[in-house]
Amino acid sequence: MAISALPLPTPDDLVSEAAAGLHTLSRHDWAGEPDVVLVSMMESLQGIRATQRALEAQLLAEIDARGLAKERLGWGSTADWYTHLAGVRRGQGKQTVDHATELVSNRPATLESLVSGTVSPEQADVVLNAVDRLPGDDRLRDTVERELLDEATRITATELARQGRDVIEAVDPDRTARTVEAQLAREDRVAHQRRFLTVTDDGAGGITVKGRGSVEDGTILRAALLPLTAPVPQVDPETCQELPDPRDFGVRMWDALVRLAQHALDTDLPPESHGARPRVTVTMSLEALRGELFERGRTDDGFDVSPEVARRMACDAEVVPMVLGTHGEVLDVGRTRRLVTAALGRALVERDRHCAFPGCTRPPVMGHAHHILPWADGGTTCLSNLVLLCGHHHRTIHQTPWEVRIADDGRPEFRPPTRLGLERGWLRHRPRRE
């Protein structure tokens, strides 16, 4: 009699079984368990956290390599999709995806340490960040990685971060690797490939600027900024004596950067965007601008500003008339024509704030005005036939079964493609788990 083999469990089956086991344990009454069991359980859970991170890295790296988030799910990037799915901060989501690719492609030792549970996810992040700051010498990077992984078995992530610099100096005391690396042209190529600039809200009424670029980029920036950083003597209003500039060099560099950007805006140097030359735009009520009530304004790139700041910015600004309805909806901003006018572009930004595609928050400066019913098919250029989309999601709407419409309340909403034979309704916000 033939005996048929049972089908092997799939990876999804194994994960579901593990999740079910943890769910059952979460309902367990731990009050009656002995001390040794409680401590042992906590130790085991830390190993599970590390192993879970390793598995997540492998999955993320494969999803990113296949382009699933962009090509199949309609997201702007794997980082955008993962940030939404995991419910984490945007910067944290991007770092997780970047680290996943690095773990799978270049740092197998760190990945294996996660699998075995000998390092925590936080310690693995410290190792990856430390290695990323090194030159591209593979042997040097591997040595530092091994040193830090060994240290991680004895200390916390905080202490590991502090010792990272000491380990780097220990494996390269004469800085010979850095000296040789600096002579190679590939250092500039690597720096250029890793260039970036971010301007984010710091949550305390200000902004944080972070960036990195090549030496050539730095030379250009310094050449433009340094002439504007000369100290400006102050005059004591009582004695009329000249006083030294109270600003330190860092403050003068910041002021120079802002002054340079303002000069570019004042002289119409940047390219046009949304049918008009770039301007710093703040949206708020006329009553708040006049000081009759306290209400924060919002810039077109998403920052909140106080009424005082908005009034100061409005001292030298163009006033664009915009008629709003009782619910703040834009009713009229100018006449309609085939191309989106500057006024209509402002109204579109005012309504949608950023890319309107569910889950995307790319700012208006990266957006396109999309005709829901194409002009060639009889569609008009009016707010009820337009939606603000970033470049990626503009292509998504044109090239995939995703649909968009303007709902009865004047806001855009989207319908995903049919999935697994199931019809999916119209939505504005994507569920974290689809």
Side-chain angles (χ1 to χ4, degrees):
M1 180 176 64
I3 299 177
S4 59
L6 295 176
L8 295 175
T10 66
D12 195 43
D13 292 335
L14 293 174
V15 172
S16 298
E17 182 180 345
L22 291 174
H23 182 74
T24 300
L25 280 174
S26 69
R27 299 179 181 276
H28 184 73
D29 182 9
W30 298 101
E33 295 290 347
D35 297 348
V36 65
V37 171
L38 298 181
V39 173
S40 177
M41 282 292 298
M42 281 300 298
E43 292 176 348
S44 298
L45 283 175
Q46 303 320 302
I48 292 175
R49 284 185 65 238
T51 304
Q52 183 267 337
R53 173 65 180 276
L55 177 58
E56 181 183 76
Q58 293 169 320
L59 290 171
L60 274 177
E62 184 63 23
I63 289 171
D64 192 52
R66 297 188 188 185
L68 295 182
K70 295 184 68 172
E71 304 302 328
R72 297 291 298 276
L73 302 178
W75 289 90
S77 66
T78 305
D80 285 352
W81 169 73
Y82 174 78
T83 299
H84 187 76
L85 173 68
V88 298
R89 295 181 182 274
R90 188 168 301 278
Q92 181 184 351
K94 184 179 186 308
Q95 176 180 274
T96 300
V97 175
D98 290 344
H99 281 187
T101 302
E102 181 70 8
L103 280 168
V104 173
S105 302
N106 302 315
R107 305 265 71 88
T110 303
L111 180 61
E112 182 56 35
S113 295
L114 278 171
V115 171
S116 63
T118 56
V119 301
S120 70
E122 292 76 16
Q123 289 173 320
D125 287 336
V126 170
V127 173
L128 294 176
N129 289 333
V131 171
D132 183 58
R133 292 194 294 268
L134 291 170
D137 186 316
D138 291 337
R139 289 185 298 178
L140 175 63
R141 289 185 165 213
D142 291 344
T143 301
V144 171
E145 179 187 20
R146 288 194 299 271
E147 292 281 347
L148 291 177
L149 289 176
D150 181 61
E151 289 289 331
T153 62
R154 296 182 289 273
I155 59 179
T156 68
T158 298
E159 295 166 317
L160 187 65
R162 292 172 183 166
Q163 292 194 15
R165 185 178 303 171
D166 296 336
V167 172
I168 293 172
E169 293 297 330
V171 298
D172 187 24
D174 300 324
R175 304 177 66 86
T176 54
R178 292 173 182 266
T179 301
V180 172
E181 183 75 16
Q183 298 172 355
L184 302 178
R186 68 172 181 170
E187 183 181 62
D188 183 68
R189 291 198 299 270
V190 170
H192 179 71
Q193 291 169 355
R194 294 180 177 179
R195 69 194 185 280
F196 77 94
L197 178 68
T198 61
V199 182
T200 57
D201 191 331
D202 67 359
I207 61 171
T208 298
V209 178
K210 296 181 180 179
R212 177 169 59 188
S214 67
V215 174
E216 180 183 0
D217 297 336
T219 301
I220 294 173
L221 286 172
R222 284 192 292 268
L225 296 175
L226 287 177
L228 304 177
T229 61
V232 179
Q234 306 293 307
V235 177
D236 189 322
E238 296 182 359
T239 64
C240 294
Q241 291 182 343
E242 191 174 275
L243 302 175
D245 192 332
R247 302 174 301 164
D248 61 24
F249 180 73
V251 175
R252 298 202 306 273
M253 281 288 283
W254 177 270
D255 291 345
L257 178 63
V258 174
R259 181 178 173 188
L260 194 66
Q262 187 62 57
H263 173 74
L265 295 177
D266 292 341
T267 54
D268 284 342
L269 292 180
E272 292 189 355
S273 174
H274 300 299
R277 295 286 186 179
R279 293 289 185 271
V280 177
T281 304
V282 179
T283 300
M284 67 188 314
S285 69
L286 183 60
E287 291 80 7
L289 189 62
R290 289 172 174 171
E292 298 172 6
L293 59 85
F294 183 86
E295 174 189 273
R296 289 190 176 275
R298 180 172 290 270
T299 66
D300 52 8
D301 53 359
F303 291 119
D304 289 335
V305 297
S306 68
E308 180 182 355
V309 172
R311 286 192 290 271
R312 185 168 66 247
M313 296 170 71
C315 288
D316 183 22
E318 298 175 3
V319 177
V320 180
M322 184 178 294
V323 181
L324 302 180
T326 56
H327 300 291
E329 70 275 18
V330 180
L331 301 180
D332 182 29
V333 290
R335 65 189 182 89
T336 299
R337 54 184 177 182
R338 185 175 66 87
L339 298 178
V340 176
T341 64
L344 192 54
R346 293 188 187 98
L348 186 61
V349 170
E350 162 65 17
R351 186 195 71 190
D352 293 348
R353 301 289 184 175
H354 47 69
C355 175
F357 197 90
C360 186
T361 57
R362 285 179 171 82
V365 293
M366 301 174 63
H368 304 162
H370 168 71
H371 284 74
I372 297 174
L373 178 63
W375 174 270
D377 295 335
T380 58
T381 305
C382 61
L383 206 57
S384 60
N385 192 45
L386 293 173
V387 61
L388 186 64
L389 298 172
C390 68
H392 170 72
H393 287 123
H394 199 179
R395 292 189 294 273
T396 298
I397 291 296
H398 278 282
Q399 299 171 4
T400 74
W402 275 87
E403 300 176 61
V404 59
R405 72 179 183 184
I406 300 298
D408 293 340
D409 62 356
R411 302 284 180 177
E413 56 185 21
F414 298 75
R415 183 161 64 185
T418 299
R419 185 177 180 185
L420 301 179
L422 299 176
E423 285 291 335
R424 307 173 76 189
W426 293 92
L427 53 85
R428 293 177 183 172
H429 306 286
R430 298 186 77 167
R432 284 180 47 210
R433 294 174 178 84
E434 300 178 272

